[in-house]
Amino acid sequence: MKKSIILLMATLMVAMHAKSQENKGQRVSIQSGIVEGIEQEGTQAFLGIPYAEVERFMPPQPVKPWQGVRRCDHWGPQVMQVTNGRKMSEDEMSEKNSCVLNVWTTDCTARKPVMLWIHGGGFDSGASTWNPGMGLAKKDVVVVSLNHRLNILGFLDLSTCSEKYRYSANVGMLDIVAALQWIHDNIKQFGGDPDNVTIFGESGGGGKVGTLLCMPSAKGLFHKAIIMSGTILNVNTKAMSEALGKAVLKELNIDAAHIERINEVPYEELYAAGQRAMAASIGTRKPGTPMMWGFGPTPDGETLLQQPFQPGFATISSDVPIMIGTTFNELQRLHYNKALSMEEAREALLPTFGNETDDYITAMKQAWPSATPQDMLSIDWLFRPKTLITADAIATTRKAPTYMYMFTWQSPLSKGSVHGAELMFCFNTLHHSKRDLPQPTSEDLRLADLMSSTWAQFAHNGNPNTQGLPHWQPYTAENGEMMIFDYNSTIRNNPDRQLQQIINRHCFRQLDEFNKR
């Protein structure tokens, strides 16, 4: 009996050890210590690796080395942001410990292109957890994503109060530069090539990609850029950010002589003061406004040379190939769930387009011959006009090529091609999109395979031409070359220039008024 018990215990211990070994991932030695990942859908995933240490309103600093093995088997905390009343632990959301990144690779001994994903959410919210990278990593690239400081913690300008805080208006973007430096120093250990890095992002992430194209400290740390639905114009000026910074201090009853007291203000109180200060000084941005301001990057002539998309980027990035595009509907309110006559659509368009309403309808039919009355009201009026203007500008002023696309796939649920709908395709993660696409078809899966291959191909050599696509030429204003991603992907040349000019005239009046100030 005793021998049987001993044998049973030994068997259990062997089984437990085997199970433990099965759950262990690969170990990688980086500058700050040893990290251990996990197997995730055929990739090695390293989640929540610290890439910088932060002090409130100060530029990021290198991570202090740790002893032993750091188990990187779960997401790190997201950065501080409004959670609508949901209580979150320090492990879920942190001010001090949220500058973390994630790596997905299939071969740590390789030398593959690297793709750094920058999440959306404007400059106010968001987290890298939204878009895991294992599906894209299977396309012969190493995928990295990150969290970085946002909102008032990332972009409060205190430079008028203290030399110590001269960079405070842009520390959220300097975090991303620190992540790029981490990639440069460490990504070889994960099978990535530090000399072939592509930055890509959607929505606010696309805006951050554009901003990095104008930051001297980021030059040379990335080599290609993909901007997805990111051309909301940031109109922050140094004068505006300084005025907002002073207004925040006034709300908190802190003067320049006691500026260090701001480090003691709880985050919730600080954020609320920032919102009050914005309303009292430079004004609060309304959702859907074709420009943004407030707690976001500000040109200072040093960390940020200019705002992107106005209409182009700083000349320091003229050798970086760019892929840029939008979706068909973006953030426009959809009208596909009801019957609508053309006359009813015309009546609904009148308040926006006035005496050019009929011209808009004609231009829409020319651009999209099969357009329905619902399409007339549901097509994007926010991102595409400025994307076209930016593409025109950069195609003539930069050395590197520009490639333009539009995503027109329609959801079986919303019937639209909305803001962010392309992400599950270019990340090749349809199986994680149960809410948006509960039952992917074979056509859906083929499109996801094609788009993720295209994004990865661009990361390889700056040319997105991929087997399965028609030949895709670099964009010029003359050829207007645009890849339409859908079940049957096609090339169209300048299909909607007249339409977008009409939209630009009528939907960006607030921007025109701002520029006249």
Side-chain angles (χ1 to χ4, degrees), residues 34 145 361 442:
I34 299 173
S145 64
I361 293 172
S442 59

Side-chain angles (χ1 to χ4, degrees), residues 52-106:
E53 294 186 358
V54 296
E55 177 185 343
R56 187 177 277 193
F57 307 125
M58 295 294 290
Q61 297 299 314
V63 173
K64 294 182 181 65
W66 57 78
Q67 299 298 315
V69 178
R70 188 182 188 102
R71 181 84 165 145
C72 294
D73 60 353
H74 62 280
W75 298 105
Q78 68 181 33
V79 298
M80 302 301 291
Q81 55 196 275
V82 172
T83 59
N84 296 318
R86 181 191 167 199
K87 295 294 183 182
M88 301 184 77
S89 69
E90 177 70 14
D91 290 336
E92 295 174 296
M93 185 170 72
S94 171
E95 180 172 344
K96 288 286 189 181
N97 302 309
S98 57
C99 277
V100 295
L101 54 75
N102 318 290
V103 181
W104 290 267
T105 183
T106 58

Side-chain angles (χ1 to χ4, degrees), residues 17-18 27-28 44 56 79 105 154 169 215 217 226 241 254 263 286 332 362 396 410 412 442 494 501:
H17 178 72
R27 291 184 178 182
V28 172
Q44 281 292 310
R56 187 177 277 193
V79 298
T105 183
M215 295 182 70
S217 59
I226 304 174
S241 70
I254 297 174
N263 293 304
K286 296 179 182 178
Q332 193 77 355
T362 299
T396 59
Q410 293 177 301
S442 59
N494 268 327
Q501 289 171 348

Side-chain angles (χ1 to χ4, degrees), residues 141-444:
V141 295
V142 174
V143 178
V144 183
S145 64
L146 84 161
N147 293 343
H148 68 100
R149 281 175 288 180
L150 300 165
N151 53 72
I152 195 167
L153 291 179
F155 303 102
L156 175 61
D157 190 347
L158 300 174
S159 60
T160 61
C161 303
S162 170
E163 177 66 15
K164 175 181 177 180
Y165 296 117
R166 64 180 295 184
Y167 300 120
S168 64
N170 288 314
V171 295
M173 288 303 304
L174 290 175
D175 289 349
I176 304 179
V177 176
L180 283 165
Q181 186 64 54
W182 185 97
I183 289 171
H184 180 270
D185 296 340
N186 296 284
I187 205 64
K188 281 184 182 179
Q189 311 307 316
F190 299 88
D193 183 356
D195 296 320
N196 191 3
V197 177
T198 297
I199 54 175
F200 71 127
E202 186 268 346
S203 192
K208 295 163 195 173
V209 170
T211 303
L212 288 166
L213 288 163
C214 303
M215 295 182 70
S217 59
K219 181 175 173 57
L221 295 176
F222 66 92
H223 313 92
K224 304 169 191 70
I226 304 174
I227 299 169
M228 306 161 64
S229 305
T231 49
I232 288 290
L233 302 186
N234 181 353
V235 296
N236 271 353
T237 63
K238 187 63 175 162
M240 290 173 67
S241 70
E242 289 177 354
L244 179 55
K246 291 175 181 177
V248 169
L249 294 179
K250 183 178 179 181
E251 287 290 332
L252 295 171
N253 196 27
I254 297 174
D255 59 24
H258 301 88
I259 186 63
E260 295 301 321
R261 284 175 47 200
I262 198 168
N263 293 304
E264 302 168 7
V265 179
Y267 172 76
E268 292 78 7
E269 183 179 336
L270 182 69
Y271 187 93
Q275 298 306 298
R276 296 194 304 271
M278 197 183 309
S281 57
I282 62 175
T284 301
R285 177 180 181 264
K286 296 179 182 178
T289 302
M291 56 187 188
M292 67 81 55
W293 63 87
F295 297 113
T298 300
D300 59 2
E302 184 179 354
T303 58
L304 179 59
L305 300 180
Q306 66 173 75
Q307 295 290 12
F309 314 118
Q310 303 193 27
F313 311 107
T315 57
I316 58 171
S317 60
S318 67
D319 58 347
V320 176
I322 290 175
M323 189 161 74
I324 187 169
T326 59
T327 70
F328 186 79
N329 300 105
E330 294 288 1
L331 293 172
Q332 193 77 355
R333 180 185 172 192
L334 300 181
H335 291 77
Y336 296 120
N337 61 347
K338 57 183 177 182
L340 195 67
S341 69
M342 189 59 72
E343 185 54 38
E344 288 172 325
R346 185 182 183 280
E347 288 297 316
L349 291 166
L350 274 170
T352 301
F353 296 101
N355 60 8
E356 281 199 282
T357 298
D358 290 334
D359 294 332
Y360 170 91
I361 293 172
T362 299
M364 180 75 177
K365 289 179 178 178
Q366 289 174 346
W368 305 100
S370 61
T372 64
Q374 290 86 350
D375 288 328
M376 295 283 174
L377 298 175
S378 304
I379 194 171
D380 167 40
W381 292 350
L382 193 58
F383 292 91
R384 173 69 178 157
K386 296 306 180 186
T387 298
L388 189 62
I389 290 169
T390 294
D392 285 351
I394 64 179
T396 59
T397 59
R398 303 174 72 258
K399 298 176 184 176
T402 300
Y403 294 88
M404 180 181 280
Y405 73 87
M406 181 180 284
F407 182 74
T408 61
W409 171 90
Q410 293 177 301
S411 163
L413 300 180
S414 70
K415 309 303 180 185
S417 181
V418 300
H419 193 61
E422 77 279 31
L423 295 182
M424 59 183 171
F425 290 88
C426 67
F427 274 94
N428 205 12
T429 52
L430 297 191
H431 57 297
H432 286 277
S433 304
K434 302 301 183 186
R435 184 187 66 179
D436 300 316
L437 190 59
Q439 294 181 314
T441 66
S442 59
E443 287 183 303
D444 294 325

